[in-house]
Amino acid sequence: AEACLQRLAGGEATAALAWQEEGARYDPLCVQSTAARTAEGGWRLQGVTRFVMGGDRAAFFIVSATVLGEGLALFVVPAQIPGLKSRTYLTHDGRGAADLKLDEVQLEGEALLAAAPVAAELLEKALQLGTLAQCAENVGAMRRALALTVDYLRTRQQFGKPLAAHQALQHRMVDHY
């Protein structure tokens, strides 16, 4: 985790949180991906994760998986590790995402970022902060779109006067605000 944090802080790498699974209906604690300890003290991960935002350019992933008999755990998985297959694509807003398939991915023991019950708490906290950040970004985008529209209505002339002079458009802008 320390090495990953240093790379993130230095701007050398990006990370993506891989937690959504098909059939889980957006429940972060419904995890079918599994992690098993190996005889060498490492981990073997198996599973499929969908819609990993930023997964198209991530240097590593934070992957949620269930350790049998223990519960949810979080692992740091390098993007170029053998056994990890990634299908990248663009979302409706032009951002990149990926679907991941972990097929017998072998990790060192240090890849365990958090074990149960702390892992579930960290995952839920991260998702709450991510939701908050997404809402703030959306409000900013809406404010900018409104400002551009109002500016256009003030400058665009029709029938010898600005569009903003029309009461119906004024009311529409108030509604949007």
Side-chain angles (χ1 to χ4, degrees):
E2 186 66 33
C4 293
L5 281 174
Q6 288 178 0
R7 290 181 63 201
L8 285 171
E12 303 168 31
T14 59
L17 181 60
W19 65 276
Q20 291 189 65
E21 294 194 5
E22 197 168 300
R25 304 196 48 83
Y26 305 104
D27 180 357
L29 303 180
C30 182
V31 179
Q32 297 173 8
S33 296
T34 60
R37 295 182 196 275
T38 63
E40 299 81 27
W43 297 94
R44 184 182 331 52
L45 270 63
Q46 187 79 27
V48 176
T49 305
R50 304 265 186 231
F51 200 62
V52 180
M53 292 302 298
D56 61 324
R57 64 184 186 288
F60 57 91
F61 300 96
I62 298 173
V63 177
S64 62
T66 300
V67 178
L68 299 178
E70 296 179 30
L72 184 73
L74 298 174
F75 296 88
V76 176
V77 179
Q80 302 303 319
I81 197 164
L84 176 64
K85 295 184 181 104
S86 175
R87 183 183 71 83
T88 62
Y89 51 90
L90 293 178
T91 61
H92 69 283
D93 59 358
R95 297 177 195 218
D99 293 339
L100 305 179
K101 182 175 183 188
L102 298 103
D103 188 17
E104 299 291 322
V105 172
Q106 302 288 326
L107 298 172
E108 299 291 325
E110 305 85 53
L112 177 65
L113 187 62
V118 175
E121 294 170 16
L122 290 174
L123 180 58
E124 287 184 329
K125 182 78 145 181
L127 292 173
Q128 289 170 358
L129 290 171
T131 300
L132 180 64
Q134 187 67 51
C135 289
E137 180 182 36
N138 290 340
V139 168
M142 288 185 286
R143 284 183 176 174
R144 182 68 179 136
L146 179 62
L148 289 170
T149 304
V150 168
D151 186 52
Y152 176 79
L153 292 176
R154 286 182 181 147
T155 57
R156 174 74 161 87
Q157 298 281 324
Q158 189 170 20
F159 305 116
K161 60 182 181 177
L163 288 175
H166 297 282
Q167 189 176 18
L169 294 176
Q170 291 172 1
H171 286 251
R172 202 68 181 277
M173 290 302 98
V174 169
D175 289 344
H176 283 286
Y177 177 76

